[in-house]
């Protein structure tokens, strides 16, 4: 009996790895084949999850769900319209200016390397920066070519983005109205001990995760924009928004956002880049250690290693979209299994921990 049990465990652990790898490969193939509709459906589901909060508030005021959904969508569209008129043109203009400036910044950085090498030769220091200079020159040519090719398809990209935005809003509207019926119709196909915890886990993880990440990202944008303006950072609004958006990617997003902005500023002014990095890291620490715990409390968390693994698998399967939904999906799976093991499907908590860099120091 013991040999049989040990053999079963060996087979289970031995086959689980290849099965997981095969499933990841199949999911990545399916996503690439149905990338456009799956992306629109995923963003529509995220929007529906977020808008479900204010819809429930209106329902508590004895307003029918249809009326509540219409009111919330009208307010949301009004807000997006206001941002589209005021903020979006500024961001697009700064983005175009930044793309035009990058070749000049790379050229100036190449000149600085030449001066540094000449300075080193005068003092007989063994420094050869020709390879790095050649790489920068190749990067300049690559950037120029990409800008030339990207400018041609800019109008088509904006038109496609606007169409996708309309589709996301329309789908989110119908998900808010009829999503429960479709979901529970699918859940009824599963046993009750799986369907109930899966439903609660999915709702709690997605709502807690995206709401918290969006609020924290807004905090970074609101705080960093005036700081960058005081420091006279070029493209201050664009850089602050870039760091705020990077907050949506857990675990590594903030580091990537701050690192990218610092590198771009470094191409122009190294001392300004140091100031930008210090200000952004300081605000990030305030957000992680003071704001986040007070806003969202303590959740039952995933191990940081599993968070990182989930992000890597999500990126392999669905690219940027996969990195956004990897953590709440992993939390949903963990929460469902925990509820099934405990046998308390009705007593459930969110398993998503909002990962902060301070937790890993």
């Amino acid at each position: 009996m013991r040999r049989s049990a040990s053999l079963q465990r060996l087979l289970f652990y031995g086959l689980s790895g290849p099965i997981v790898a095969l499933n990841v490969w199949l999911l990545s193939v399916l996503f690439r084949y149905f990338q456009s509709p799956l992306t629109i459906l995923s963003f529509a589901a995220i929007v529906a999850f977020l808008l479900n909060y204010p819809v429930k508030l209106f329902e508590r005021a004895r307003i029918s769900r249809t009326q509540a959904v219409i009111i919330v969508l009208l307010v949301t569209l009004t807000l997006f319209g206001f941002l589209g008129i005021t903020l979006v043109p500024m961001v697009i203009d700064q983005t175009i200016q930044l793309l035009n400036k990058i070749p000049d910044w790379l050229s100036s950085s190449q000149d600085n390397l030449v001066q540094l090498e000449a300075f080193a030769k005068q003092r007989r220091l063994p420094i050869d920066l020709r390879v790095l200079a050649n790489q920068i020159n190749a990067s300049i040519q690559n950037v120029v070519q990409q800008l030339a090719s990207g400018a041609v398809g800019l109008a088509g990209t904006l038109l496609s983005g606007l169409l996708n935005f309309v589709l996301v809003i329309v789908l989110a509207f119908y998900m808010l109205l009829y999503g429960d019926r479709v979901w529970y119709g699918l859940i009824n196909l599963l046993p009750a001990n799986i369907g109930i915890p899966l439903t609660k886990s999915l709702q709690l993880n997605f709502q807690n995760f995206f709401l918290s990440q969006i609020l924290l990202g807004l905090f970074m944008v609101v705080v960093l924009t005036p700081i960058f303006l005081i420091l006279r950072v070029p493209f201050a609004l664009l850089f602050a928004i870039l760091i705020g958006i990077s907050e949506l990617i857990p675990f590594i997003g903030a580091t990537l956002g701050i690192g990218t902005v610092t590198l771009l500023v470094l191409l122009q002014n190294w001392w300004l880049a140091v100031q930008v990095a210090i200000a952004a890291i300081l605000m990030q620490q305030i957000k992680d250690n003071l704001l986040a715990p007070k806003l969202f409390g303590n959740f039952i968390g995933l191990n940081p290693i599993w968070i990182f693994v989930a992000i890597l698998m999500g990126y392999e399967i669905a690219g940027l979209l996969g990195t956004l939904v990897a953590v709440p999906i992993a939390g949903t799976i963990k929460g469902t299994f925990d509820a099934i093991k405990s046998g308390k499907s009705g007593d459930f908590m969110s398993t998503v921990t909002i990962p902060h860099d301070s937790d890993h120091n």
Side-chain angles (χ1 to χ4, degrees):
M1 293 294 293
R2 291 182 179 179
R3 291 184 178 179
S4 178
S6 61
L7 181 60
Q8 289 178 355
R9 289 182 181 179
L10 182 62
L11 288 174
F12 174 77
Y13 290 114
L15 294 176
S16 59
I19 291 174
V20 170
L22 179 61
N23 287 331
V24 170
W25 178 77
L26 288 174
L27 287 174
S28 63
V29 171
L30 288 174
F31 181 82
R32 291 188 183 96
Y33 190 77
F34 300 102
Q35 182 174 3
S36 181
L38 286 177
T39 301
I40 293 173
L41 284 172
S42 299
F43 278 109
I46 293 172
V47 171
F49 269 117
L50 295 175
L51 296 184
N52 197 41
Y53 274 109
V55 168
K56 288 182 177 179
L57 292 178
F58 279 107
E59 285 185 302
R60 292 176 184 174
R62 296 182 180 180
I63 298 176
S64 67
R65 184 168 183 85
T66 302
Q67 293 175 340
V69 170
I70 293 175
I71 293 173
V72 170
L73 279 179
L74 287 177
V75 173
T76 303
L77 289 175
T78 302
L79 178 61
F80 276 116
F82 176 76
L83 294 176
I85 295 173
T86 58
L87 186 62
V88 173
M90 296 173 58
V91 174
I92 293 176
D93 181 61
Q94 289 194 10
T95 302
I96 294 174
Q97 292 182 30
L98 174 63
L99 294 176
N100 292 329
K101 285 286 186 180
I102 287 179
D104 296 333
W105 289 358
L106 289 173
S107 297
S108 63
S109 64
Q110 187 179 21
D111 295 337
N112 292 334
L113 288 178
V114 173
Q115 294 176 4
L116 179 61
E117 187 174 4
F119 177 81
K121 287 181 178 180
Q122 291 177 358
R123 283 155 180 77
R124 298 179 180 180
L125 297 176
I127 297 178
D128 188 2
L129 300 176
R130 285 176 293 179
V131 176
L132 184 58
N134 292 332
Q135 291 179 351
I136 293 177
N137 188 36
S139 299
I140 295 174
Q141 296 177 357
N142 187 28
V143 169
V144 172
Q145 292 176 357
Q146 289 181 355
L147 292 178
S149 61
V152 177
L154 180 61
T157 302
L158 292 176
L159 181 61
S160 176
L162 180 60
L163 178 61
N164 290 336
F165 174 78
V166 173
L167 290 175
V168 166
I169 295 299
V170 172
L171 280 173
F173 172 76
Y174 284 106
M175 285 181 179
L176 286 170
L177 287 179
Y178 309 111
D180 289 344
R181 302 178 188 177
V182 176
W183 175 255
Y184 285 112
L186 295 174
I187 288 299
N188 287 333
L189 300 176
L190 300 174
N193 65 327
I194 298 178
I196 295 175
L198 176 61
T199 300
K200 294 183 178 181
S201 177
L202 187 70
Q203 291 174 346
L204 288 173
N205 279 289
F206 271 80
Q207 288 176 350
N208 289 335
F209 175 78
F210 283 108
L211 182 62
S212 62
Q213 295 299 89
I214 288 175
L215 290 177
L216 292 175
L218 286 176
F219 169 79
M220 293 295 287
V221 173
V222 171
V223 172
L224 287 179
T225 299
I227 293 177
F228 286 173
L229 289 174
I230 293 173
L231 294 176
R232 296 183 179 180
V233 178
F235 315 110
L237 177 62
L238 177 63
F239 287 159
I241 291 177
L242 178 60
I243 293 176
I245 292 177
S246 67
E247 288 287 337
L248 295 176
I249 303 176
F251 197 72
I252 58 174
T255 302
L256 290 176
I258 295 174
T260 301
V261 170
T262 302
L263 181 60
L264 290 173
V265 179
L266 182 63
L267 294 175
Q268 184 190 23
N269 188 323
W270 71 270
W271 174 238
L272 183 60
V274 172
Q275 295 177 342
V276 166
I278 292 174
I281 293 173
L282 180 62
M283 291 301 104
Q284 180 192 6
Q285 293 301 313
I286 293 175
K287 168 185 69 69
D288 290 345
N289 296 294
L290 297 179
L291 181 63
K294 291 182 179 180
L295 282 178
F296 312 111
N298 296 319
F299 297 122
I300 301 174
L302 292 168
N303 189 296
I305 295 177
W306 291 119
I307 292 176
F308 192 72
V309 171
I311 293 173
L312 291 177
M313 293 178 64
Y315 180 79
E316 179 64 27
I317 293 172
L320 180 59
L321 177 62
T323 62
L324 295 178
V325 300
V327 172
I329 288 177
T332 299
I333 295 172
K334 180 181 182 296
T336 303
F337 277 109
D338 288 346
I340 294 173
K341 287 181 180 179
S342 64
K344 298 178 180 180
S345 59
D347 190 13
F348 190 80
M349 291 182 64
S350 170
T351 60
V352 167
T353 293
I354 307 306
H356 309 303
D357 289 349
S358 60
D359 297 334
H360 313 297
N361 295 334

